[in-house]
Amino acid sequence: MHLRAVLIKQMEATRQAESKSMSKSNAFAQASHDVRASLAGIIGLIDISYEEVSPGSELEKNLKQMESCAKDLLGFLNRILDTSKVEAGKMLLEEEEFDLAQLLQDVVDLYHPVAMRKGVDVVLDPTDGTVLRYSLVKGDRGKLKQILSNLLSNAVKFTDGGHISVRAWVKKPSLEDSILASPRSSGWERLMCLVCEKKDEDSGDEVANEFQRSPNSAEFVFEVDDTGKGIPKEKRKSVFENYIQVKETAQGQEGTGLGLGIVQSLVRLMGGDITIRDKDMGERGTCFRFNVFLAPCDAGATKLLEEDLEAGGYGAACRLGLTTRSPKSEGSHVVLLIQNEERRRTCRSYLEKLGIEVLVASQWQDLPMILKKVQMKVVNVAYHSSSGKSEMSWRIERLSKSASCKKAPGRVRGVPLRSLDGADQSLPVYRSPSPKDQAAFVLLIIDASAGPFQQIFMAVTEFRKLIPSARCKVVWLDKPTMRSIDLRAIKGKLDPDDIIMSKPFHGTRLLRVIRLLPEFGGSLQKRPSEQVKARPVQNAEAAKPLAEETGNTSREKPLSGKRVLVVDDSEIMRKLALRNLSNLGATVQLCENGKEAVQLIRDGIDELRERGVSDICRPYEYILMDCQMPAMDGFEATRKIRKEERRYGIHTPIIALTAHSSGAEVKKIFEAGMDFHVEKPANGVRLMKAISEIQSRGGGV
Amino acid sequence: MEVGQMQRRLAEFTKSMFMEGFLDGQFLQLQQLQDESNPDFVVEVVSLFFQDSEKLLNDLTLALDQQNVDFKRVDAHVHQLKGSSSSIGAQRVKNACVVFRNFCEEQNLEGCMGCLQQVKQEFYLVKNKFDTLFTLEQQIVAAGGSIPAMEITSF
């Protein structure tokens, strides 16, 4: 009897549980439908917005990222619903070719802005460069992105300062190296070891997942390492369980508590596992490490031979790296001034791995001193003291901009000069360089917000005076929005070959900069220095056409060589007209009222006559005439000017500037003899429109 | 306050000037005319506007104070003020001028007096705003930062 009661009770409980599960599923289905609808709306709206956006602008970039996020959201939604599928062992892995290094960079760049707002830098650490070498892989890009995004999103949430490092590298397969899974699934671990060893065997795979490890796949290890709150040791296991959250979260932190559970499932699905690493003593934060298996593509190998970085030839830089410096040419020196400590460290470490000598300024105040050090190393002047000592005293006497320096052999760390046998000179000796015998190249990588920009700029400018200009290049790192570089303040004196690069500085941008070095294919040719009037700086990220920023529709100067007379009693209007017309390339003459205008025309004609010009042409190509003026208004001035012109058979197109374009006003304008009218305030676009109209009518050339 | 914060404040403040109608698209045109070869263009033009306008407002006050008000003259002044405010994008001042001119045409003295008050008020409001704006800019530059370019969106 008792047993029956228990059975009934049990059946009831089961029924209840099933019913609950059903309602949960239904709720999920409805919720997902609603979420999908909203997301589709957002994606659609973004699509439309593309049409209104200038190509290459920050706004377009932001829209692209928004679209990417929205699509990811859809993906996540599907994943959430599929969580149960995963647990039931029915989830499928997709396979596509993708660029892993690019994916890492995309994800890091995505979280970078929001982290920076909290004062946290997100750094992509190239480690040993193996991911760059094998960046073309086959695998499930979407799931990998979801894993990384999840981990990064958590890291950003729980970190309030310092940095988050994202690392990746390729591991050589070996039994000892296989990552220990959490104790929960030791059976899994043992199975993984088996699979590692006997690559072709997956028959004994008890675990219900579809992961087929191809013999080509390599083990990729990833780390997301933050300096945040950290997870107490006792909670480390449980965070991976669904719906568990570490309670001591910052205020206002939300979450479904699903993140890490899904991450773990996905990682396992891809053949790996995820753990929390112990940090060194005194280091705060959490470090997640996981591994997955991906198949590097052969195409990757061919890509490595391509020189073009844009085509994703990411790993090329590694291949091109010189591991030993040829004794004939001095290696490049790189000076780093980067604010964030971790970024500084990873940059330096990677550059040094490539065999580049790096000098680091941890703060902007150290920059002048570091630059001095470099200067000493780079500019070699043989100085032979009269006593013939080989001990070197570095007195840099005259530094010419041409590279006519005698090079001292060996690496320069205060290495003594080569003394001239028998010679007893007190003057520095110069020798023109042979191709093998070149002074070193210096690359400065400067974080423009590392300190007061003007002072940093001054230090750099001073330094450049002492280095042959072809041997020095500067890369300025700046935030794409809220630029620290004030071109105004430095009066546009940036060198035309300088590059302004958007932060964050890692990934493709880092490689692009490395390629500036001669050892890695950088050219030493300087662009001919032009008068730095217009924007001289090459923005390496998005070459926004200058036109967009000045409001011109093209870079050409349509009014180049044309003289324009502006007649307006308002000083403001004259000033505006001057700027607008100058931007269009015109030569501008200003005057205040109709009387002056008529006089100028008369004077212009007289001058031509005095010069003996047989065929008098009009003294100005165009006249901009304000209608309402004291002394003599635009209408009367025009009438008088036409009278003058008739004598010589000339006709200057006159454009009326009017505040209102009522029918009566327009009639008056044409009756007075003016050709066109533009409504005030007249900007460059309106003026050009009027002028084009006149030209098309054949009225002006 | 560090530079980034100041820049954000400036951006917010500028945006609010647009949102509240103090400025319109013409001001953006003005900003676009500023570059390395003309680094203080905006400040120069706006300062010019203040000078001109103060004088005009004085003239207007005088003109409306006469025994026999010369509405044509008054209208001419307002026309000028309308022109200059419109050319720098001082929208609210310009709009007040439009109303003013209507009263001039009607030769409505009381209406004109009221409008003069309105125009003065709008003028001093926008002047204050600009003073704040330029002060913010100066602070940023003094701290070594740069003035962020406005994103051109529709208003």
Side-chain angles (χ1 to χ4, degrees):
Chain A
M1 287 310 118
H2 177 68
L3 272 175
R4 230 174 134 211
V6 169
L7 179 61
I8 293 170
K9 220 173 162 195
Q10 190 57 48
M11 280 171 65
E12 180 62 27
T14 312
R15 191 198 64 76
Q16 262 193 359
E18 274 173 1
S19 155
K20 272 193 192 158
S21 173
M22 267 304 279
S23 18
K24 196 164 44 158
S25 302
N26 287 340
F28 261 49
Q30 184 55 42
S32 94
H33 174 82
D34 294 337
V35 172
R36 262 185 249 266
S38 297
L39 281 173
I42 293 175
I43 294 175
L45 285 167
I46 294 173
D47 234 357
I48 297 173
S49 304
Y50 272 134
E51 291 163 26
E52 312 238 337
V53 133
S54 10
S57 58
E58 273 308 307
L59 189 54
E60 191 194 40
K61 270 206 271 178
N62 289 342
L63 278 178
K64 280 213 173 95
Q65 281 210 324
M66 279 163 66
E67 186 180 29
S68 176
C69 283
K71 291 192 173 151
D72 287 344
L73 273 173
L74 265 180
F76 297 156
L77 179 64
N78 295 332
R79 302 292 185 263
I80 290 175
L81 296 175
D82 289 338
T83 305
S84 49
K85 260 205 225 165
V86 176
E87 272 150 13
K90 295 215 179 75
M91 172 160 266
L92 287 171
L93 265 186
E94 283 163 31
E95 202 172 75
E96 62 176 304
E97 253 182 46
F98 65 95
D99 185 335
L100 177 60
Q102 190 64 50
L103 171 65
L104 279 166
Q105 187 177 317
D106 286 345
V107 176
V108 169
D109 284 353
L110 186 62
Y111 285 92
H112 186 261
V114 64
M116 281 306 277
R117 271 200 282 275
K118 294 177 80 178
V120 178
D121 200 356
V122 187
V123 183
L124 179 57
D125 183 353
T127 58
D128 56 5
T130 43
V131 161
L132 297 175
R133 193 167 302 164
Y134 299 109
S135 71
L136 247 279
V137 293
K138 249 200 198 145
D140 192 328
R141 180 184 186 278
K143 294 195 176 61
L144 184 56
K145 186 169 184 185
Q146 191 183 345
I147 294 167
L148 290 165
S149 300
N150 226 298
L151 291 172
L152 261 179
S153 152
N154 277 349
V156 172
K157 246 192 253 175
F158 294 104
T159 310
D160 293 309
H163 63 261
I164 301 168
S165 279
V166 178
R167 305 184 189 102
W169 63 90
V170 184
K171 255 194 156 171
K172 289 214 180 102
S174 87
L175 189 53
E176 294 85 347
D177 287 347
S178 51
I179 291 182
L180 294 171
S182 60
R184 254 190 349 162
S185 41
S186 46
W188 166 262
E189 173 198 354
R190 276 189 262 125
L191 212 55
M192 278 310 297
C193 295
L194 280 176
V195 179
C196 277
E197 214 174 14
K198 304 166 196 170
K199 289 180 190 157
D200 296 325
E201 180 183 307
D202 54 16
S203 52
D205 201 346
E206 302 280 14
V207 182
N209 73 40
E210 316 249 330
F211 181 69
Q212 302 278 337
R213 193 124 74 78
S214 74
N216 296 330
S217 52
E219 185 181 350
F220 287 75
V221 185
F222 300 82
E223 270 187 5
V224 177
D225 189 356
D226 66 54
T227 55
K229 295 199 174 304
I231 301 177
K233 253 195 150 107
E234 56 277 11
K235 291 229 161 76
R236 285 190 185 176
K237 280 178 263 174
S238 59
V239 282
F240 291 109
E241 287 169 27
N242 283 338
Y243 306 111
I244 302 286
Q245 278 173 299
V246 178
K247 278 309 173 203
E248 309 92 57
T249 60
Q251 243 187 343
Q253 294 299 340
E254 288 165 19
T256 53
L258 278 176
L260 287 175
I262 296 179
V263 165
Q264 189 183 49
S265 306
L266 291 173
V267 167
R268 286 179 176 172
L269 191 63
M270 297 176 86
D273 210 337
I274 179 166
T275 51
I276 300 175
R277 310 281 301 164
D278 284 323
K279 288 209 170 201
D280 293 334
M281 277 295 288
E283 277 186 10
R284 51 179 282 146
T286 317
C287 177
F288 284 92
R289 184 192 283 193
F290 70 94
N291 63 328
V292 295
F293 289 86
L294 303 162
C297 297
D298 287 333
T302 30
K303 284 232 173 183
L304 291 175
L305 298 174
E306 284 174 29
E307 294 288 314
D308 186 11
L309 204 62
E310 301 310 319
Y314 233 137
C318 300
R319 291 276 300 251
L320 294 174
L322 296 174
T323 46
T324 52
R325 202 159 307 152
S326 99
K328 301 219 172 111
S329 77
E330 183 75 18
S332 299
H333 300 273
V334 171
V335 173
L336 282 184
L337 172 59
I338 291 179
Q339 256 187 318
N340 180 271
E341 199 192 315
E342 175 71 2
R343 192 177 290 283
R344 199 161 59 225
R345 187 192 68 77
T346 55
C347 267
R348 174 192 212 158
S349 153
Y350 184 63
L351 288 169
E352 283 178 345
K353 285 201 181 96
L354 290 175
I356 302 165
E357 177 161 339
V358 182
L359 292 103
V360 167
S362 354
Q363 40 177 9
W364 71 273
Q365 292 94 333
D366 298 334
L367 186 63
M369 180 191 67
I370 301 279
L371 289 176
K372 195 109 186 102
K373 263 199 207 164
V374 176
Q375 174 197 316
M376 305 273 264
K377 293 183 179 197
V378 161
V379 183
N380 301 296
V381 174
Y383 182 74
H384 187 66
S385 67
S386 44
S387 60
K389 271 169 38 178
S390 58
E391 193 59 42
M392 161 70 88
S393 52
W394 288 96
R395 263 222 295 138
I396 300 170
E397 288 219 82
R398 254 192 316 127
L399 302 165
S400 56
K401 279 235 161 199
S402 64
S404 52
C405 321
K406 182 167 176 168
K407 184 194 159 308
R411 288 261 235 106
V412 181
R413 265 185 205 277
V415 166
L417 47 74
R418 170 174 41 208
S419 48
L420 295 168
D421 298 339
D424 200 359
Q425 301 166 26
S426 49
L427 287 173
V429 175
Y430 297 100
R431 197 182 74 200
S432 54
S434 58
K436 326 171 270 177
D437 202 336
Q438 293 174 2
F441 186 83
V442 178
L443 178 68
L444 306 180
I445 301 175
I446 312 259
D447 183 339
S449 48
F453 180 69
Q454 248 165 307
Q455 300 206 17
I456 295 178
F457 184 73
M458 267 197 320
V460 171
T461 315
E462 285 308 309
F463 171 74
R464 290 185 99 139
K465 291 185 185 153
L466 307 170
I467 301 276
S469 64
R471 306 236 131 242
C472 176
K473 208 165 195 145
V474 182
V475 173
W476 303 92
L477 304 175
D478 205 0
K479 284 191 283 256
T481 56
M482 306 285 201
R483 289 208 175 272
S484 301
I485 296 178
D486 185 5
L487 285 167
R488 230 165 56 172
I490 58 176
K491 307 231 182 317
K493 285 218 206 84
L494 272 179
D495 188 298
D497 281 331
D498 277 1
I499 295 178
I500 297 183
M501 194 163 264
S502 290
K503 294 186 190 173
F505 183 61
H506 50 222
T508 37
R509 292 178 283 268
L510 173 57
L511 290 174
R512 198 176 282 159
V513 167
I514 292 174
R515 292 189 140 272
L516 294 172
L517 300 169
E519 299 99 303
F520 296 90
S523 88
L524 295 173
Q525 266 194 319
K526 291 282 287 184
R527 287 208 292 196
S529 56
E530 304 130 7
Q531 183 51 271
V532 175
K533 273 259 156 186
R535 179 170 285 247
V537 170
Q538 173 195 337
N539 187 325
E541 279 296 296
K544 209 190 275 192
L546 176 63
E548 283 183 57
E549 294 168 46
T550 60
N552 290 352
T553 46
S554 68
R555 275 216 77 166
E556 304 112 39
K557 307 275 188 177
L559 294 181
S560 167
K562 305 268 202 289
R563 293 149 304 170
V564 180
L565 174 62
V566 176
V567 191
D568 199 317
D569 61 329
S570 157
E571 197 183 337
I572 293 180
M573 295 310 209
R574 286 198 299 274
K575 208 172 155 80
L576 282 176
L578 175 61
R579 280 300 289 135
N580 274 309
L581 290 168
S582 303
N583 275 351
L584 294 169
T587 313
V588 184
Q589 172 69 46
L590 303 172
C591 68
E592 283 188 27
N593 57 45
K595 207 160 167 204
E596 284 184 23
V598 176
Q599 192 58 48
L600 279 166
I601 298 289
R602 284 195 181 129
D603 290 345
I605 293 175
D606 283 343
E607 202 202 315
L608 288 167
R609 277 176 46 213
E610 272 163 39
R611 279 205 265 142
V613 177
S614 50
D615 206 359
I616 305 282
C617 61
R618 55 191 200 265
Y620 298 96
E621 264 79 17
Y622 300 97
I623 300 177
L624 248 53
M625 182 84 76
D626 185 21
C627 290
Q628 251 80 23
M629 286 180 289
M632 189 192 292
D633 69 19
F635 303 108
E636 204 187 325
T638 305
R639 279 190 284 270
K640 289 219 156 82
I641 289 173
R642 292 291 179 232
K643 204 163 149 209
E644 283 292 320
E645 287 179 326
R646 266 191 285 273
R647 280 201 248 155
Y648 301 93
I650 55 179
H651 179 100
T652 313
I654 298 182
I655 300 171
L657 294 171
T658 168
H660 39 182
S661 40
S662 68
E665 179 87 354
V666 175
K667 194 158 173 246
K668 234 173 138 187
I669 286 171
F670 289 119
E671 277 177 354
M674 301 199 240
D675 300 276
F676 210 82
H677 74 276
V678 167
E679 214 175 300
K680 287 204 271 193
N683 56 39
V685 175
R686 283 186 183 159
L687 287 175
M688 266 325 292
K689 210 165 148 213
I691 289 173
S692 310
E693 183 66 37
I694 292 173
Q695 283 175 347
S696 67
R697 288 185 199 163
V701 170
Chain B
M1 204 187 297
E2 56 95 21
V3 174
Q5 259 181 296
M6 287 197 270
Q7 287 171 329
R8 273 190 290 278
R9 258 186 77 193
L10 176 65
E12 284 304 316
F13 186 76
T14 314
K15 191 170 162 203
S16 76
M17 280 182 80
F18 281 96
M19 292 295 154
E20 291 165 25
F22 285 105
L23 292 177
D24 65 24
Q26 181 59 23
F27 185 70
L28 287 175
Q29 298 282 340
L30 212 68
Q31 285 184 316
Q32 287 180 346
L33 289 175
Q34 181 166 291
D35 60 22
E36 303 85 57
S37 51
N38 286 272
D40 299 309
F41 187 70
V42 176
V43 175
E44 285 167 10
V45 175
V46 174
S47 306
L48 213 57
F49 167 70
F50 289 151
Q51 282 169 27
D52 275 3
S53 306
E54 299 227 33
K55 187 171 177 304
L56 278 170
L57 288 171
N58 282 337
D59 290 344
L60 276 168
T61 313
L62 271 171
L64 284 175
D65 204 24
Q66 301 296 310
Q67 280 277 22
N68 289 323
V69 174
D70 182 355
F71 284 100
K72 269 214 150 61
R73 198 186 157 81
V74 173
D75 182 70
H77 286 316
V78 181
H79 173 81
Q80 240 192 312
L81 186 58
K82 175 174 165 250
S84 54
S85 58
S86 135
S87 67
I88 68 155
Q91 190 176 247
R92 283 161 67 148
V93 177
K94 179 189 80 174
N95 290 341
C97 288
V98 172
V99 181
F100 200 152
R101 289 196 82 196
N102 288 337
F103 283 121
C104 287
E105 232 180 273
E106 294 172 19
Q107 307 221 346
N108 181 336
L109 183 58
E110 224 180 279
C112 283
M113 303 283 277
C115 275
L116 179 59
Q117 283 319 305
Q118 184 73 13
V119 171
K120 277 186 179 170
Q121 190 178 312
E122 289 301 341
F123 172 73
Y124 284 112
L125 275 174
V126 80
K127 184 166 188 296
N128 272 335
K129 291 274 178 183
F130 270 120
D131 284 341
T132 309
L133 188 87
F134 292 140
T135 307
L136 281 175
E137 285 190 348
Q138 276 167 12
Q139 284 172 348
I140 291 175
V141 172
S146 72
I147 313 300
M150 279 281 297
E151 275 279 300
I152 299 166
T153 55
S154 56
F155 287 100

mmCIF file of all heavy atoms in Angstrom, chain A residues 24-45:
data_model
loop_
_atom_site.group_PDB
_atom_site.id
_atom_site.type_symbol
_atom_site.label_atom_id
_atom_site.label_comp_id
_atom_site.label_asym_id
_atom_site.label_seq_id
_atom_site.Cartn_x
_atom_site.Cartn_y
_atom_site.Cartn_z
ATOM 1 N N LYS A 24 7.354 25.929 -19.946
ATOM 2 C CA LYS A 24 8.576 26.697 -20.137
ATOM 3 C C LYS A 24 8.913 26.761 -21.622
ATOM 4 O O LYS A 24 9.254 27.807 -22.146
ATOM 5 C CB LYS A 24 9.737 26.045 -19.350
ATOM 6 C CG LYS A 24 10.892 26.996 -19.198
ATOM 7 C CD LYS A 24 11.920 26.655 -18.167
ATOM 8 C CE LYS A 24 12.361 25.223 -18.118
ATOM 9 N NZ LYS A 24 13.670 25.110 -17.475
ATOM 10 N N SER A 25 8.798 25.629 -22.283
ATOM 11 C CA SER A 25 9.095 25.614 -23.710
ATOM 12 C C SER A 25 8.185 26.549 -24.464
ATOM 13 O O SER A 25 8.608 27.274 -25.350
ATOM 14 C CB SER A 25 8.945 24.204 -24.282
ATOM 15 O OG SER A 25 9.791 23.325 -23.608
ATOM 16 N N ASN A 26 6.927 26.514 -24.117
ATOM 17 C CA ASN A 26 5.987 27.397 -24.792
ATOM 18 C C ASN A 26 6.325 28.851 -24.554
ATOM 19 O O ASN A 26 6.294 29.670 -25.468
ATOM 20 C CB ASN A 26 4.553 27.127 -24.307
ATOM 21 C CG ASN A 26 4.042 25.817 -24.854
ATOM 22 O OD1 ASN A 26 4.556 25.315 -25.840
ATOM 23 N ND2 ASN A 26 3.033 25.249 -24.204
ATOM 24 N N ALA A 27 6.647 29.139 -23.314
ATOM 25 C CA ALA A 27 7.017 30.517 -22.991
ATOM 26 C C ALA A 27 8.241 30.935 -23.797
ATOM 27 O O ALA A 27 8.301 32.037 -24.350
ATOM 28 C CB ALA A 27 7.277 30.645 -21.499
ATOM 29 N N PHE A 28 9.184 30.023 -23.855
ATOM 30 C CA PHE A 28 10.383 30.288 -24.645
ATOM 31 C C PHE A 28 10.032 30.580 -26.086
ATOM 32 O O PHE A 28 10.540 31.513 -26.693
ATOM 33 C CB PHE A 28 11.309 29.051 -24.601
ATOM 34 C CG PHE A 28 12.420 29.181 -23.609
ATOM 35 C CD1 PHE A 28 12.158 29.589 -22.312
ATOM 36 C CD2 PHE A 28 13.727 28.905 -23.963
ATOM 37 C CE1 PHE A 28 13.172 29.712 -21.386
ATOM 38 C CE2 PHE A 28 14.759 29.030 -23.041
ATOM 39 C CZ PHE A 28 14.483 29.427 -21.751
ATOM 40 N N ALA A 29 9.160 29.741 -26.623
ATOM 41 C CA ALA A 29 8.817 29.891 -28.035
ATOM 42 C C ALA A 29 8.192 31.256 -28.284
ATOM 43 O O ALA A 29 8.552 31.954 -29.226
ATOM 44 C CB ALA A 29 7.862 28.776 -28.459
ATOM 45 N N GLN A 30 7.298 31.649 -27.424
ATOM 46 C CA GLN A 30 6.644 32.933 -27.593
ATOM 47 C C GLN A 30 7.637 34.074 -27.443
ATOM 48 O O GLN A 30 7.694 34.991 -28.260
ATOM 49 C CB GLN A 30 5.509 33.100 -26.555
ATOM 50 C CG GLN A 30 4.699 34.379 -26.728
ATOM 51 C CD GLN A 30 4.129 34.522 -28.113
ATOM 52 O OE1 GLN A 30 3.638 33.558 -28.690
ATOM 53 N NE2 GLN A 30 4.209 35.720 -28.673
ATOM 54 N N ALA A 31 8.438 33.962 -26.392
ATOM 55 C CA ALA A 31 9.435 35.008 -26.161
ATOM 56 C C ALA A 31 10.380 35.119 -27.357
ATOM 57 O O ALA A 31 10.695 36.215 -27.820
ATOM 58 C CB ALA A 31 10.222 34.728 -24.887
ATOM 59 N N SER A 32 10.786 33.981 -27.843
ATOM 60 C CA SER A 32 11.747 34.032 -28.941
ATOM 61 C C SER A 32 11.115 34.653 -30.174
ATOM 62 O O SER A 32 11.756 35.401 -30.901
ATOM 63 C CB SER A 32 12.272 32.627 -29.264
ATOM 64 O OG SER A 32 11.513 32.042 -30.292
ATOM 65 N N HIS A 33 9.864 34.370 -30.379
ATOM 66 C CA HIS A 33 9.173 34.975 -31.519
ATOM 67 C C HIS A 33 9.181 36.491 -31.401
ATOM 68 O O HIS A 33 9.492 37.208 -32.359
ATOM 69 C CB HIS A 33 7.739 34.441 -31.571
ATOM 70 C CG HIS A 33 6.910 35.119 -32.619
ATOM 71 N ND1 HIS A 33 6.943 34.749 -33.941
ATOM 72 C CD2 HIS A 33 6.048 36.150 -32.547
ATOM 73 C CE1 HIS A 33 6.130 35.521 -34.622
ATOM 74 N NE2 HIS A 33 5.566 36.379 -33.815
ATOM 75 N N ASP A 34 8.869 36.976 -30.212
ATOM 76 C CA ASP A 34 8.838 38.427 -30.004
ATOM 77 C C ASP A 34 10.215 39.046 -30.184
ATOM 78 O O ASP A 34 10.365 40.086 -30.839
ATOM 79 C CB ASP A 34 8.331 38.741 -28.585
ATOM 80 C CG ASP A 34 6.883 38.337 -28.414
ATOM 81 O OD1 ASP A 34 6.170 38.238 -29.445
ATOM 82 O OD2 ASP A 34 6.457 38.101 -27.264
ATOM 83 N N VAL A 35 11.196 38.390 -29.581
ATOM 84 C CA VAL A 35 12.555 38.922 -29.692
ATOM 85 C C VAL A 35 13.006 38.938 -31.142
ATOM 86 O O VAL A 35 13.576 39.905 -31.629
ATOM 87 C CB VAL A 35 13.542 38.102 -28.832
ATOM 88 C CG1 VAL A 35 14.971 38.539 -29.099
ATOM 89 C CG2 VAL A 35 13.211 38.258 -27.367
ATOM 90 N N ARG A 36 12.718 37.873 -31.849
ATOM 91 C CA ARG A 36 13.108 37.804 -33.256
ATOM 92 C C ARG A 36 12.492 38.935 -34.059
ATOM 93 O O ARG A 36 13.145 39.538 -34.902
ATOM 94 C CB ARG A 36 12.657 36.471 -33.860
ATOM 95 C CG ARG A 36 13.723 35.425 -33.927
ATOM 96 C CD ARG A 36 13.212 34.199 -34.659
ATOM 97 N NE ARG A 36 13.066 33.067 -33.755
ATOM 98 C CZ ARG A 36 14.023 32.162 -33.579
ATOM 99 N NH1 ARG A 36 15.163 32.257 -34.208
ATOM 100 N NH2 ARG A 36 13.845 31.159 -32.748
ATOM 101 N N ALA A 37 11.227 39.210 -33.774
ATOM 102 C CA ALA A 37 10.549 40.272 -34.523
ATOM 103 C C ALA A 37 11.245 41.611 -34.305
ATOM 104 O O ALA A 37 11.532 42.344 -35.251
ATOM 105 C CB ALA A 37 9.091 40.347 -34.107
ATOM 106 N N SER A 38 11.532 41.909 -33.046
ATOM 107 C CA SER A 38 12.194 43.184 -32.754
ATOM 108 C C SER A 38 13.564 43.253 -33.391
ATOM 109 O O SER A 38 13.961 44.282 -33.949
ATOM 110 C CB SER A 38 12.331 43.369 -31.245
ATOM 111 O OG SER A 38 11.058 43.442 -30.651
ATOM 112 N N LEU A 39 14.282 42.181 -33.319
ATOM 113 C CA LEU A 39 15.619 42.176 -33.909
ATOM 114 C C LEU A 39 15.554 42.373 -35.414
ATOM 115 O O LEU A 39 16.353 43.102 -36.000
ATOM 116 C CB LEU A 39 16.327 40.857 -33.589
ATOM 117 C CG LEU A 39 16.897 40.780 -32.184
ATOM 118 C CD1 LEU A 39 17.412 39.388 -31.897
ATOM 119 C CD2 LEU A 39 18.025 41.780 -32.014
ATOM 120 N N ALA A 40 14.581 41.705 -36.028
ATOM 121 C CA ALA A 40 14.445 41.873 -37.473
ATOM 122 C C ALA A 40 14.187 43.340 -37.792
ATOM 123 O O ALA A 40 14.723 43.885 -38.765
ATOM 124 C CB ALA A 40 13.318 41.000 -37.996
ATOM 125 N N GLY A 41 13.370 43.970 -36.941
ATOM 126 C CA GLY A 41 13.104 45.393 -37.126
ATOM 127 C C GLY A 41 14.375 46.214 -37.067
ATOM 128 O O GLY A 41 14.626 47.068 -37.925
ATOM 129 N N ILE A 42 15.178 45.946 -36.068
ATOM 130 C CA ILE A 42 16.422 46.705 -35.913
ATOM 131 C C ILE A 42 17.331 46.506 -37.114
ATOM 132 O O ILE A 42 17.868 47.464 -37.682
ATOM 133 C CB ILE A 42 17.159 46.288 -34.619
ATOM 134 C CG1 ILE A 42 16.349 46.701 -33.395
ATOM 135 C CG2 ILE A 42 18.547 46.911 -34.566
ATOM 136 C CD1 ILE A 42 16.931 46.245 -32.089
ATOM 137 N N ILE A 43 17.478 45.260 -37.522
ATOM 138 C CA ILE A 43 18.367 44.979 -38.658
ATOM 139 C C ILE A 43 17.869 45.699 -39.906
ATOM 140 O O ILE A 43 18.646 46.275 -40.669
ATOM 141 C CB ILE A 43 18.478 43.458 -38.902
ATOM 142 C CG1 ILE A 43 19.189 42.800 -37.720
ATOM 143 C CG2 ILE A 43 19.221 43.166 -40.198
ATOM 144 C CD1 ILE A 43 19.254 41.301 -37.791
ATOM 145 N N GLY A 44 16.552 45.683 -40.080
ATOM 146 C CA GLY A 44 15.982 46.370 -41.232
ATOM 147 C C GLY A 44 16.262 47.870 -41.201
ATOM 148 O O GLY A 44 16.635 48.474 -42.209
ATOM 149 N N LEU A 45 16.084 48.453 -40.035
ATOM 150 C CA LEU A 45 16.302 49.892 -39.906
ATOM 151 C C LEU A 45 17.753 50.254 -40.156
ATOM 152 O O LEU A 45 18.055 51.277 -40.766
ATOM 153 C CB LEU A 45 15.884 50.357 -38.513
ATOM 154 C CG LEU A 45 14.373 50.438 -38.309
ATOM 155 C CD1 LEU A 45 14.041 50.590 -36.838
ATOM 156 C CD2 LEU A 45 13.787 51.593 -39.105
#
